Amino acid sequence: MFKKIFATILFNVIIVSGSLYAQQAEKDFAIADSLLDKGQFEKAIGMLNNLITTYGEKEKYLTARGFGYTQLKNLEKGKADYQRALVLNAQCSKCIGNLGMIESDAGNYNEAVALFEKYIKLEPAKAMGYVKKGESEFQLGKYNEATADLNRGLELDANSPYILLWLSMTKLAQGAVKPALDLINKSIQYQPDVEYAYFVRAKCYIQLEQFQPAWADLSSCLKKNPKFNEYHTYAGIALSRLNQPNKAMQAFNESIRLNADSYLPYFYRSYLQYNAGNFENACADKLKAKEILANNGADPVTLKQINNEIEIYCNNSRISYYAYMGETAFNLGKFDRSRSAFAEGLAKFKYDPVLLNGIGNTAIASGNFKEALQFYNTCIQNISRLDPALLQTNENPDAKTAATFFKAQLYNSIAFAQANLLHFDSAIINLDIAIAVLKTDAAIHDQQPILSDYLAKRSLFNSLQKKYSEANKDIDEALKADPKNATAFLNRATNLINKNTIGAKDATEKKAIFQPGHPFNAGYITTAIKDWNREEIVAAVKDCDAAISYEPGNANAYLTRAQANIILKNNNYCDDISKAKALGITEAASMLGVDCK
């Protein structure tokens, strides 16, 4: 009897002791779990180690410790804990999902996809599996699969800003920019404090060429996190397109300082360098971008583009090396540098039309019109050697169209040089050719405005040859081609004034440079001929009004309107003279022989 009672007591003690033992374990685990929630991962792991030592490996201890390790970026230990938990419970969806995220963080996206597929089978009603699988598919460039999984996740969690963010990124990668913008705007609406969402939206704006709102979003990102290199890279892209090259350069430089292993800032900085005339630095940047891409398993399309640009812009055994360098320097107003580039090219490629045309343009810029004509004529003699690939641009991507435009410009340049030598008959003949060539290809970018400019110029030359009927026809056709051509209105006003003033007949005896957009005026004469036509001078004022409305910064338009009003004996010319002075014609009053103090 005593033994039975003792055994019963001992059994009850064991039960009570085991219950207390289990309660303590639960209490300790709850503390460890709360430490994880508070981000005190090292303390939590210490407690979980004690729990495992004392009570043995259990699924929840291992998964909790695995989570702690992953938060401390100790992925191998985290991975080991989840795998040991799976041994205890092969259906542990938490283990499989977290193993998938570990593989994703390690860049093992195929392994991650396989694990998330297992997770989805166990948890088909949870959005997380579809979303994480979609993220890994995105990283693998499987955008259609990613879109399908992310959309399934969105069906299960319709207002998730996180899923909307990833869907936006996927659409952007597919080139569907407007849908991407709609998605990211919706994500921001649900959760406006996610910094990266504004970065994604900025990328959408850049693709849509809306650079001001892109810059606004990037500025916001940079204020919150100035140490993320990609923010600086895309800020540089936006700023360069907003014509702020110095700020753009600073942004690219900072991006490279933060992360010298990204090809993108070098790639875009090379364009800034080239456009600034820093040709060697530009090529160094392109080569660096290529090196980084090649070392990182480059996207073949991007690598091909960079290789092509290096061949075109940086290979001095090609005509393009000299042609583009010369053209860029010319556009920067560095005419000596431009001439040097074209001359170096001609030393290797003696009869290349593009180089001959380029060096002819530098002669024009220097006022050496006879020399310019020599180069232009040699260019025409060798036009069959023309390589249209050197002329293709974003505006004129078709080779045939680009070649046609080049020829039209060439004859226009010849006319310009001849006019400056006062060979107006020859200038008109070459403009005839330029106009005829231009009319043959409607695909030429801005064909009608360019045609209008050519016609307006020919009108002026006809007027100076006293061919007023032909001059008027040209102006009418010019304004038909481009009703907003300020130069055409101004030229017609000048024609009418020259026709009605003393001294205009001497125009062909004077040498003057015909600047684009600045019509030749025979000395701004304000003395009318004996039988002058008042209505024509009134019409000239109206034409000046029109020119100013379409081009308010044209100083000559104000000066010519003042000239017409002086002839009409109107006393309202001083305001126009003041505007002409403010726009750069400092001697406006003396040119018209008046005093406007």
Side-chain angles (χ1 to χ4, degrees):
M1 184 69 179
F2 175 77
K3 287 183 179 180
K4 187 175 180 181
I5 293 171
F6 178 77
T8 303
I9 293 170
L10 182 61
F11 179 73
N12 288 333
V13 168
I14 290 170
I15 291 173
V16 171
S17 176
S19 176
L20 292 172
Y21 189 74
Q23 288 176 15
Q24 184 61 44
E26 286 301 314
K27 182 179 177 181
D28 288 347
F29 179 74
I31 294 171
D33 199 39
S34 69
L35 289 172
L36 290 175
D37 288 340
K38 294 174 183 177
Q40 297 179 29
F41 303 115
E42 291 180 352
K43 286 185 178 179
I45 288 170
M47 287 198 70
L48 290 163
N49 286 338
N50 290 333
L51 282 166
I52 291 169
T53 300
T54 306
Y55 304 109
E57 290 188 345
K58 293 185 179 182
E59 178 186 335
K60 65 180 181 181
Y61 297 167
L62 291 167
T63 56
R65 191 173 69 174
F67 175 76
Y69 280 132
T70 58
Q71 295 305 301
L72 293 172
K73 302 302 180 185
N74 193 336
L75 301 185
E76 287 305 313
K77 285 190 175 182
K79 185 176 179 179
D81 273 350
Y82 287 125
Q83 288 172 335
R84 286 157 70 183
L86 273 174
V87 172
L88 299 174
N89 176 14
Q91 303 298 307
C92 174
S93 60
K94 182 189 291 185
C95 302
I96 294 169
N98 282 312
L99 282 170
M101 285 189 269
I102 288 172
E103 295 294 354
S104 178
D105 287 344
N108 302 323
Y109 301 114
N110 286 309
E111 291 83 349
V113 168
L115 285 162
F116 289 129
E117 285 175 348
K118 290 181 181 179
Y119 178 88
I120 289 168
K121 288 179 182 178
L122 294 171
E123 304 283 1
K126 289 187 177 179
M128 191 274 281
Y130 299 99
V131 175
K132 291 300 178 181
K133 181 168 174 267
E135 289 178 27
S136 292
E137 288 163 337
F138 173 90
Q139 298 295 348
L140 290 167
K142 296 180 178 179
Y143 301 125
N144 291 335
E145 294 90 333
T147 299
D149 279 322
L150 290 166
N151 278 326
R152 177 61 181 137
L154 199 63
E155 289 173 10
L156 296 169
D157 189 358
N159 297 328
S160 168
Y162 183 81
I163 301 175
L164 290 164
L165 171 65
W166 273 96
L167 263 176
S168 174
M169 290 167 62
T170 306
K171 289 293 182 185
L172 186 60
Q174 290 176 304
V177 185
K178 289 185 178 179
L181 182 60
D182 291 339
L183 287 162
I184 200 61
N185 277 331
K186 196 171 182 181
S187 176
I188 291 169
Q189 179 185 346
Y190 287 136
Q191 193 168 348
D193 59 347
V194 177
E195 172 191 308
Y196 197 79
Y198 293 93
F199 176 54
V200 174
R201 188 168 70 176
K203 292 169 79 172
C204 291
Y205 283 137
I206 286 172
Q207 289 293 316
L208 294 169
E209 298 192 351
Q210 297 177 22
F211 301 109
Q212 197 62 55
W215 169 237
D217 276 347
L218 289 161
S219 294
S220 172
C221 291
L222 284 166
K223 285 178 183 177
K224 294 178 180 178
N225 185 3
K227 294 188 177 182
F228 185 46
N229 66 297
E230 285 193 51
Y231 292 169
H232 291 281
T233 297
Y234 281 88
I237 295 170
L239 287 165
S240 65
R241 297 302 300 272
L242 289 169
N243 295 317
Q244 297 186 49
N246 292 335
K247 288 186 177 180
M249 185 68 76
Q250 290 172 6
F252 291 134
N253 290 343
E254 181 63 10
S255 177
I256 290 166
R257 189 189 70 79
L258 292 167
N259 180 9
D261 295 326
S262 171
Y263 87 93
L264 209 56
Y266 293 103
F267 180 64
Y268 279 102
R269 190 175 70 174
S270 72
Y271 296 123
L272 277 183
Q273 299 272 30
Y274 200 91
N275 291 334
N278 302 321
F279 305 115
E280 290 183 1
N281 290 344
C283 289
D285 274 349
K286 290 185 188 296
L287 289 167
K288 183 64 177 178
K290 175 185 175 179
E291 177 191 334
I292 293 170
L293 275 171
N295 290 338
N296 295 337
D299 165 29
V301 175
T302 305
L303 190 57
K304 182 180 178 181
Q305 180 184 347
I306 292 179
N307 279 328
N308 187 49
E309 290 181 3
I310 289 170
E311 272 297 295
I312 291 171
Y313 296 103
C314 305
N315 184 348
N316 65 6
S317 67
R318 294 176 60 118
I319 295 171
S320 58
Y321 173 83
Y322 303 98
Y324 295 136
M325 188 187 300
E327 180 185 358
T328 302
F330 185 90
N331 292 336
L332 290 168
K334 299 178 179 179
F335 302 123
D336 289 342
R337 181 71 185 89
S338 175
R339 185 182 181 90
S340 175
F342 289 126
E344 287 176 28
L346 286 169
K348 292 184 178 181
F349 308 97
K350 187 175 181 180
Y351 296 111
D352 180 73
V354 173
L355 299 176
L356 288 163
N357 178 68
I359 202 165
N361 291 341
T362 65
I364 286 276
S366 302
N368 298 321
F369 304 110
K370 287 184 179 179
E371 183 188 39
L373 285 174
Q374 291 173 356
F375 286 116
Y376 290 147
N377 288 330
T378 306
C379 180
I380 289 173
Q381 292 166 12
N382 291 279
I383 203 71
S384 61
R385 300 171 184 261
L386 185 65
D387 178 7
L390 293 170
L391 308 169
Q392 289 169 283
T393 62
N394 291 334
E395 291 78 15
N396 291 312
D398 178 73
K400 184 179 178 182
T401 295
T404 302
F405 184 48
F406 175 84
K407 292 172 188 175
Q409 286 181 306
L410 175 59
Y411 283 102
N412 175 61
S413 297
I414 292 171
F416 182 84
Q418 288 170 332
N420 275 279
L421 294 171
L422 307 180
H423 301 158
F424 295 115
D425 286 336
S426 297
I428 289 169
I429 290 169
N430 281 283
L431 266 178
D432 291 344
I433 298 171
I435 290 166
V437 170
L438 193 67
K439 286 181 176 180
T440 63
D441 195 342
I444 292 173
H445 179 70
D446 278 346
Q447 184 214 37
Q448 291 302 298
I450 294 167
L451 175 62
S452 182
D453 282 339
Y454 287 4
L455 288 162
K457 192 180 296 181
R458 189 172 69 181
S459 165
L460 176 60
F461 298 161
N462 276 318
S463 174
L464 292 170
Q465 295 291 83
K466 303 293 185 182
K467 299 175 182 178
Y468 297 119
S469 176
E470 289 90 334
N472 290 334
K473 287 179 183 177
D474 278 341
I475 289 293
D476 289 343
E477 190 179 349
L479 290 173
K480 184 178 180 181
D482 180 8
K484 296 182 179 181
N485 185 345
T487 301
F489 283 109
L490 189 50
N491 279 3
R492 184 163 66 184
T494 301
N495 293 345
L496 292 169
I497 291 171
N498 288 345
K499 179 182 174 184
N500 285 279
T501 53
I502 294 171
K505 68 179 188 307
D506 299 324
T508 56
E509 299 171 10
K510 299 179 181 181
K511 186 174 181 179
I513 296 176
F514 292 77
Q515 296 293 346
H518 300 278
F520 176 85
N521 190 305
Y524 290 97
I525 306 299
T526 56
T527 303
I529 59 176
K530 184 177 180 180
D531 53 348
W532 68 289
N533 187 323
R534 182 180 182 83
E535 290 183 0
E536 288 184 341
I537 304 301
V538 170
V541 171
K542 291 180 180 178
D543 278 340
C544 289
D545 293 343
I548 290 167
S549 70
Y550 294 124
E551 193 179 334
N554 191 322
N556 280 277
Y558 293 102
L559 189 61
T560 303
R561 187 166 68 179
Q563 179 189 13
N565 277 314
I566 291 170
I567 295 168
L568 291 168
K569 300 191 182 305
N570 294 330
N571 293 323
N572 58 348
Y573 52 81
C574 282
D575 284 346
D576 279 339
I577 288 173
S578 295
K579 287 176 181 175
K581 288 175 68 176
L583 289 168
I585 304 179
T586 56
E587 302 299 321
S590 61
M591 289 170 70
L592 293 172
V594 294
D595 187 353
C596 285
K597 292 181 181 179

